[in-house]
Amino acid sequence: MAREPYLVLRDFRVWFEKRQGFLAALRRTTPEYVRAVDGVDLDVGRGEIFCLVGESGCGKTTTGKGILRLVPPTGGDVFVGVPKNVLDDYEAAKAGHGRADLETIRRQHSLSWKEDRPWTVPHFVLLGIVVAVASLIATALPAFVSASVFHLPFTTGWSYIGYGLVVALLVAYFGSIPPTRPTPRTTTVLGGLAVLLFNLSTYLGLVFSGYVDAGGLYQSQVWGDQTVAMLGGTLFAFVVAVLVGRVLIWNRLREEGLEGIKIRGLRKKLQIIFQDPYESLNPKHSVYDIVAEPLIVNGLSRNRAETEARVEQALSDAGLRPPRDFLFRYPHELSGGQRQRVSIAGALVLDPEFLVADEPVSMLDVSIRTEILELLLELREKKGLTYLFITHDLSLAWVLADRIGVMYLGKIVEEGPTRELIKNPRHPYTKALVSVVPVPDPDRRRQRIILKGERPDPSDIPPGCRFHPRCPVAFERCGWTVEEVVDELKDLAAGTPEEGLFAGLHADSPLVFTMPAAPPDAEAAIRRIIEGKADQFRGLKAIQAIERTEGGIRVSLHEFTEPELKAIAPDVKVSCHLFA
């Protein structure tokens, strides 16, 4: 039975910009990214346990953290508890149908939507005006008070006004250079601080400045009343500037969808259970402090008695009974299983609807794992929770999950109901994972599929199908490149009479390479290597044509075309050219 959708991801991405040195940054205009999560489409039904499985480093944990905005999403959309008619309008708008505006839907409902309008001249002018006005107030007001109340010279105030304008423009310029894009409040605070610090340093300098008169006596050039007036006026103007900035930032947040307005309320419904209870708990805080902190931060308890009652209830729900025996213990006084229960209690205390369980039993003894898993299942029945369960253990997913998504290098390559996916895996990567799961029957033998090589670097993802360098059934349309094919040819020819033929290979494009000044037998040698080794070295199957040209040989490869997710069985989706 299909469940009502609760969590929906569409083209969800989390990229991390790579740090680079100063000289490298000058040479490169386009930044490089680690594409940890690179276009995930996912649907989790209300009350469902959805398991994400895959090797370490495939992006499972980053997906969970990105949903909760513990790491900032780079792109795509996250919908939580959105009505189905809104999701239908969203899909129709993406496909170019329907009357709903895509950006309006994303602004109002997508948890990851951000304003992506580029900086224009009006933006710079607005920031400049905000900081200039704040600086004018901070400089003109003290001078006005000095002249009108204390009847002191106004000339010093005009010099401060000129300085304030310069500081305002500089702060507005440097503070608004992309990609920083600070809020108006931040820019206002920076401008006010700059003026305030300058004035304070000026006060100190003027107090100790003066001259020696004809009688040999030291005469100060600044009166104490004027100094006090200017200091008080500056502080008052600084507060006014910050208040103006708060009004502007609120108006800006109204244009940024859920960010900053509804995200606080949604965070109470979305919680996470971290993997390592030894690192996720503050050793200096008691159990009471750890579990009560979400209540205090969100302002959900009116007094200590109410806080204690909710903390005790959360501890009891997590299986720590009687809860008062654990309230004032510290993490080092608890076992590993008890620590993980404290983490679960910290997630339950806000009465959430959705939990990201990031391998919650991987750090525990085998004897404790079953108890924690039974607790999670009991909580789902008792509280109607929805889980995104992250694990690398397919045998655990088989027992726990309603549906499974197999993740590889930032993408979900296969997704479907647990029984169907485990019993009949279709993607080569899923088959390899299932083949190495231990079988409890010692007399039963299963042919294991051992993948060759290592997982590619997420900052240098292979073109085409990202699994093809390790795929045991890869073929010509999987996205091979000239570099991969040339490397295989050179490796196969090493130590053979044909070794010298491939020394002068030259790449003309990603799909074409040439062999200049090739001898007459070079074409036959390449064909002989392909016929003899293509089954073992599948990159050779990517060669589409071998043509003799003037003075050499031209070799072209098959072109890659992106496959679409195609239903192979009911509710099963797989991304692979074998099924395209």
Side-chain angles (χ1 to χ4, degrees), residues 175 215 263 384 561:
I263 183 66
T561 54

Side-chain angles (χ1 to χ4, degrees), residues 10-15 37-41 410-412 466:
R10 290 294 180 266
D11 194 26
F12 183 66
R13 300 186 301 278
V14 180
W15 293 6
V37 181
D38 193 25
V40 168
D41 292 338
K411 280 187 175 292
I412 293 180
R466 56 189 64 199

Side-chain angles (χ1 to χ4, degrees), residues 42 123 173 267 272 387 406 547:
L42 182 64
H123 289 115
Y173 174 74
R267 280 192 185 280
I272 185 170
Y387 289 102
V406 181
E547 305 170 336

Side-chain angles (χ1 to χ4, degrees), residues 153-173:
F154 197 69
T155 55
T156 307
W158 286 115
S159 65
Y160 285 141
I161 292 175
Y163 165 75
L165 287 174
V166 173
V167 170
L169 293 176
L170 289 176
V171 172
Y173 174 74

Side-chain angles (χ1 to χ4, degrees), residues 388-461:
L388 177 66
F389 197 94
I390 296 170
T391 181
H392 60 270
D393 188 350
L394 265 178
S395 59
L396 178 60
W398 162 259
V399 175
L400 194 68
D402 298 309
R403 289 190 303 126
I404 294 177
V406 181
M407 202 165 185
Y408 181 78
L409 208 60
K411 280 187 175 292
I412 293 180
V413 296
E414 188 169 358
E415 173 192 341
T418 300
R419 184 176 183 84
E420 178 66 26
L421 189 140
I422 297 295
K423 289 286 187 181
N424 188 23
R426 291 168 174 82
H427 194 280
Y429 180 62
T430 310
K431 291 181 179 180
L433 293 181
V434 172
S435 72
V436 297
V437 174
V439 180
D441 186 356
D443 297 327
R444 182 182 175 186
R445 293 291 183 267
R446 176 187 292 169
Q447 183 180 1
R448 296 189 174 186
I449 303 173
I450 306 300
L451 301 176
K452 66 178 183 178
E454 298 291 335
R455 172 186 56 80
D457 185 353
S459 64
D460 187 21
I461 293 179

Side-chain angles (χ1 to χ4, degrees), residues 278 281 287 320 325-326 329-340 342:
Y278 294 90
L281 302 182
V287 171
L320 293 174
D325 290 351
F326 297 91
R329 293 190 191 181
Y330 286 84
H332 70 273
E333 299 175 300
L334 305 175
S335 66
Q338 289 173 336
R339 291 188 186 199
Q340 192 61 289
V342 172

